[in-house]
Amino acid sequence: MANHTQRSDRPESPRSRRLSEGLVRGRTLLAAGLAAAMAITGCTNDGDTNDGDTAKATVIGTGDAYSATITRTQGGVPHISGETLDDVTFGQGYASGQDHACSLADQVLKVRGRKAEFMGPGEADENINSDFAWRSIGIGDIADADFEKASDDVKDLMASFVAGWNAQLKEVGADGVTGWCAGEPWVVPLDPKDVYAYARAVALNASGARLTGFIATAQPPNAAPIDASSTSVEEGGTTTSVVAPEEQGSNGWAIGSKNSEGGGGMLLANPHFPWQGELRFWENHLTVTGDQPSDIYGAQLLGLPGVGIGTTDEFAWTHTVSAGNRFTAYKLALAPGDPTSYVIDGQTEKMTSKDITVKVADDSGKVTDQKRTMWSTEFGPVIDFPGVGWTGDTAITYRDANIDNDEFLEQYRAMDTAGSFDEFVEAHKKYQGVPLFNTVAVSKDGRAWYADTSATPRLSEEALAAYQQALDGDFITSAAADSGAVLLDGSKGYNRWEDVDGARDPGLEPYSEMPMLERDDYVFNANDSFWLANRNKLIEGDYSPLHGRQDTERSARTLQNLAVLDGADTKRLAGDDNKFSLDELQAAALDDQAYTAAQLRQDVVGRCEAVGGPVKVDALLGPAGEDDKPGDEIAPAGDIDLADVCRVLDEWDGHFDPDSVGAVVWREFLAAFGDVSIWANEFDPAKPLETPNGLVKAGPDGDPVLTSLAKAVQLMDSQQLKVNVTLGELQRDGRVDDGASIPGGFGSEGITNVVGRGGLGGTSEPVRELPDWVTDDTDLTTDGYPVTNGSSFIMSVDFAKGGPQIRTILTYGQTDDQTSPLFTEQTEMFAKKQWKDVSLDPTVIADQALSDPITVKG
């Protein structure tokens, strides 16, 4: 099996994800339209800024329902102010449409199941399958019904945001929108329900949204077959890339008063998310000036109102993707002779069916109908799970913890409008609407808080015991767990979710039984389970394993996060006093030291220098072909001299910066180990921070350290790369030709600043085509290590001196318009580890304005 699906924080192989990346497609932008967009956002080619005088805002639009003023500062960040929250949200919708109209319009098509109607079937019928899957999930219909029952606050939030988005579209027309969808017939005004439905779909990002390829093709064995080309997962592949949230990691640090140089709270937000597609962040500042004032700065996922990661003058917070489970899958025992009925506790239950029709446009634009019957059970939709499928005896279905999460938007509205840290925390207790994230937060006075309040299924003790037994003895259950899925026996009624008091919805864990911790030194998370949020206080207790496992090995990235926060790093990034200043916090966030190198490099060098001669290696093979047939030989077997690589590693400082010499060799050295552990001593739950440790020893079949070093040299030689190549020569912004050199590395290397290559999710956005990996065991391509994923919205906050002092980098910029200077401006800043200084002071904002403000009305 290709190693890309084996290691954490690594992208998948191109074979298992080729359908999601898309091909480069042509697109044009009229010069006049571009000029208009640049003028609206205040981003001029000559970089002129406001002279500091108070500028009169240009008024755009008419009407007295909404009025907001938008001022753009460095990076094109909009500062949006208005009398009421509805005014500000209207302005946010307008500004969002200026920068990313295409993403929201595209996602509404996806969730409504209409992509094939406008974009054709897509490669390997990906648009058709997407439409059938999303209509089968039914989140659009569920959201429409829930919207009618939603609170007035939520309805107003959606209505004002959509009104702003529509106003901007009306102003420029479909032909004048910024980005890749200009002139497309599906760029049309939206309804508040459309954005509400999309928001509800975002909540499924660790559950139903990851299973769409399996839902679309699930058909009973007696049904007419769907053409094999329409399946979005290759036969013989792995489920990891689809079931687990794809490359959605993060680091979140909350520094309490005890570890803060200024005595106030500090926050470091660093979500590792895609640099392309709908899961990008958009930076903004929202200020309500009227009777219920509020002021919040941060970022939100494209197309959604409010702030998802941010700071006020009282508290700041970030999120990391939780290690828990957002759904459970069920292996059904089907009734004899009836594959659309299943047996549970001896009783036969009929599946329910839904006939779905999607419209499909051909190359000429002619639209025809395609129909499928989609099946569901009491647990949810049936899925075509790889390796199991749907036979006469067995089918797989799943139940989603977020399908009924109508508290999602209530939760975030309450967080954004909270007047104090206590109110912020109370929002988690009241709504329990966080779908899939850990929360890491800090108060102005230095209380650091960690909680995993994300939606988690509630299983009985009997169900948990049976599941643990199946993990130990059933291959399919174990394989599903390796891919991030909990697979239960659907023939046993005890595996139904339990209903308990205090839970957000029936079948979920209540807030009172969710893991959380408050400290005055620090808390953090780097996507491992809740168990280790602080070195001195493990979160232990009777928590559901579906929240995450206790007494389990931590990733190299988690251990490096801990080394930085707890003063165990070799550079003492928090200083000798182990108290962070804002400058020290920023330097630590992007320090780029590799934990694996800090622990093992000197031992590797010693082993390498002791070699008496060349090391033999087998022939190097390219990527496996269909049915995992061996790839072509790209380098012959032979003897490899290690003298040069020994010297390079000895002189390397263990960091992954653009000018680092040795980082590339170390990366390929680790990759060459494959499934063999580099550690001599395995993880010991009694020593969670000290293990695994030591360098693996030589065995009867040779020394894996020397063999892996030789393989790394062999691979680099095959690509005409010298062992002293710098990381920056190869690791570059993969979105554009000749992109900037990018610092950072993979989580598996033990680097906090994670960058790499990831997929696009469910977007139709055209992107630069990237080459395949050179082999199945490396991330190296003929274009080096193109970066399209990783550190995204990086924010540091310090409440010292009355704060907050805020600095940020949005690594991929504020726009999807590749012709705009903003597209790469902050990427180049990230390459140099330069941050933007952010102010909430309106006078400073006016001084920093890129152009005169605009007032939008509607």
Side-chain angles (χ1 to χ4, degrees), residues 517-800:
L517 177 68
E518 183 176 310
R519 300 279 297 180
D520 64 359
D521 49 0
Y522 69 88
V523 294
F524 83 104
N525 185 264
N527 306 117
D528 277 325
S529 73
F530 62 83
W531 180 53
L532 176 59
N534 180 285
R535 182 187 191 96
N536 300 310
K537 181 63 175 178
L538 298 176
I539 303 177
E540 298 177 299
D542 189 20
Y543 299 107
S544 168
L546 272 65
H547 258 304
R549 296 280 180 167
Q550 302 175 51
D551 297 320
T552 51
E553 183 176 345
R554 306 291 94 175
S555 71
R557 175 162 62 94
T558 288
L559 294 175
Q560 180 62 18
N561 273 259
L562 189 64
V564 171
L565 289 172
D566 212 59
D569 64 282
T570 57
K571 294 177 66 175
R572 302 292 294 179
L573 293 171
D576 292 336
D577 60 358
N578 201 31
K579 294 178 182 289
F580 282 100
S581 68
L582 184 57
D583 288 342
E584 289 170 338
L585 185 69
Q586 289 176 208
L590 302 180
D591 177 63
D592 295 326
Q593 181 175 24
Y595 181 84
T596 53
Q599 299 296 312
L600 301 173
R601 182 179 62 88
Q602 288 297 340
D603 289 342
V604 170
V605 170
R607 192 88 60 90
C608 184
E609 291 177 341
V611 176
V615 175
K616 293 184 180 296
V617 292
D618 296 331
L620 182 67
L621 303 181
E626 294 184 6
D627 300 324
D628 284 337
K629 293 180 180 178
D632 298 330
E633 182 177 302
I634 59 176
D639 295 331
I640 303 294
D641 190 308
L642 298 183
D644 287 341
V645 77
C646 292
R647 174 183 53 78
V648 166
L649 290 180
D650 185 41
E651 296 174 356
W652 178 46
D653 66 358
H655 285 68
F656 277 67
D657 291 317
D659 60 355
S660 292
V661 174
V664 173
V665 168
W666 189 261
R667 173 171 293 172
E668 296 308 328
F669 163 65
L670 293 180
F673 269 84
D675 296 332
V676 177
S677 175
I678 195 173
W679 304 103
N681 303 305
E682 297 181 353
F683 170 73
D684 180 355
K687 300 178 180 179
L689 309 179
E690 293 77 29
T691 56
N693 60 33
L695 183 63
V696 63
K697 296 177 173 56
D701 297 326
D703 189 339
V705 171
L706 301 181
T707 301
S708 295
L709 280 172
K711 286 181 178 179
V713 175
Q714 179 191 36
L715 173 70
M716 295 177 69
D717 284 347
S718 75
Q719 304 304 304
Q720 293 77 53
L721 297 175
K722 295 181 179 180
V723 292
N724 65 349
V725 64
T726 65
L727 179 65
E729 292 177 69
L730 300 179
Q731 186 166 278
R732 310 183 73 86
D733 180 359
R735 303 171 303 154
V736 295
D737 294 334
D738 301 318
S741 298
I742 303 298
F746 305 150
S748 57
E749 294 160 348
I751 297 171
T752 58
N753 176 31
V754 172
V755 295
R757 176 173 169 181
L760 284 171
T763 186
S764 306
E765 180 181 4
V767 299
R768 179 173 177 260
E769 186 175 6
L770 299 177
D772 287 350
W773 282 266
V774 174
T775 76
D776 284 332
D777 293 322
T778 182
D779 290 277
L780 184 66
T781 74
T782 53
D783 194 25
Y785 304 108
V787 174
T788 60
N789 189 293
S791 292
S792 52
F793 175 63
I794 314 174
M795 179 177 71
S796 58
V797 180
D798 186 2
F799 284 101

Side-chain angles (χ1 to χ4, degrees), residues 215-226 372-375 382 384 390:
I215 295 169
T217 58
Q219 295 290 293
N222 56 2
I226 296 173
R372 291 182 195 171
T373 299
M374 310 302 292
W375 297 87
V382 180
D384 185 13
W390 190 341

Side-chain angles (χ1 to χ4, degrees), residues 104-455:
L104 180 56
D106 175 54
Q107 290 307 297
V108 169
L109 276 190
K110 179 189 79 175
V111 175
R112 294 298 188 189
R114 300 184 67 191
K115 292 182 72 170
E117 178 181 349
F118 291 96
M119 303 176 186
E123 184 181 357
D125 290 349
E126 61 185 353
N127 290 338
I128 296 174
N129 284 334
S130 174
D131 289 347
F132 277 116
W134 281 104
R135 292 198 184 188
S136 180
I137 291 171
I139 193 62
D141 293 337
I142 293 170
D144 287 348
D146 285 347
F147 189 77
E148 299 300 328
K149 301 175 290 184
S151 69
D152 289 343
D153 286 342
V154 167
K155 289 180 178 178
D156 291 345
L157 186 74
M158 295 294 102
S160 55
F161 184 85
V162 169
W165 194 91
N166 287 342
Q168 199 277 330
L169 177 60
K170 180 180 179 181
E171 178 72 21
V172 302
D175 290 338
V177 298
T178 300
W180 50 275
C181 65
E184 294 291 344
W186 43 270
V187 182
V188 296
L190 300 177
D191 185 272
K193 289 182 180 179
D194 291 326
V195 178
Y196 183 74
Y198 174 53
R200 294 289 298 274
V202 169
L204 305 182
N205 204 44
S207 49
R210 295 290 148 185
L211 300 170
T212 54
F214 304 148
I215 295 169
T217 58
Q219 295 290 293
N222 56 2
I226 296 173
D227 189 281
S229 66
S230 70
T231 182
S232 62
V233 180
E234 287 188 281
E235 184 178 354
T238 173
T239 62
T240 302
S241 59
V242 181
V243 175
E246 183 180 307
E247 291 303 296
Q248 292 167 35
S250 300
N251 301 321
W253 303 347
I255 311 298
S257 56
K258 183 178 178 180
N259 284 25
S260 166
E261 191 173 281
M266 304 178 75
L267 183 90
L268 187 282
N270 185 4
H272 306 147
F273 265 53
W275 286 19
Q276 303 170 131
E278 75 270 24
L279 292 177
R280 282 170 291 179
F281 290 97
W282 182 69
E283 194 170 355
N284 61 106
H285 175 203
L286 308 177
T287 304
V288 178
T289 60
D291 294 338
Q292 296 179 312
S294 64
D295 203 15
I296 187 167
Y297 191 100
Q300 179 64 291
L301 292 176
L302 300 186
L304 298 180
V307 168
I309 291 174
T311 183
T312 71
D313 59 4
E314 292 291 329
F315 58 88
W317 84 95
T318 187
H319 289 306
T320 64
V321 174
S322 168
N325 298 93
R326 312 282 78 88
F327 72 95
T328 57
Y330 291 85
K331 183 181 178 183
L332 303 180
L334 301 181
D338 184 1
T340 59
S341 295
Y342 58 101
V343 179
I344 183 167
D345 288 343
Q347 299 295 314
T348 299
E349 303 287 345
K350 289 290 294 183
M351 295 182 184
T352 57
S353 64
K354 179 165 61 174
D355 293 330
I356 296 175
T357 300
V358 302
K359 296 185 179 300
V360 183
D362 62 18
D363 292 341
S364 70
K366 180 181 178 182
V367 176
T368 57
D369 291 344
Q370 285 200 22
K371 299 180 181 180
R372 291 182 195 171
T373 299
M374 310 302 292
W375 297 87
S376 189
T377 71
E378 65 173 279
F379 303 117
V382 180
I383 58 178
D384 185 13
F385 206 80
V388 181
W390 190 341
T391 70
D393 301 318
T394 301
I396 305 293
T397 186
Y398 79 98
R399 184 175 177 183
D400 196 320
N402 280 305
I403 195 68
D404 295 319
N405 189 356
D406 55 341
E407 291 83 3
F408 176 36
L409 288 161
E410 296 270 16
Q411 165 97 42
Y412 279 87
R413 187 185 185 282
M415 289 162 56
D416 287 356
T417 58
S420 68
F421 181 68
D422 291 334
E423 289 181 12
F424 172 84
V425 173
E426 179 65 23
H428 292 72
K429 179 179 180 180
K430 180 177 180 180
Y431 295 107
Q432 302 177 47
V434 175
L436 62 144
F437 305 121
N438 302 288
T439 302
V440 177
V442 70
S443 65
K444 181 178 181 178
D445 61 2
R447 288 176 284 163
W449 185 65
Y450 163 83
D452 183 357
T453 63
S454 48

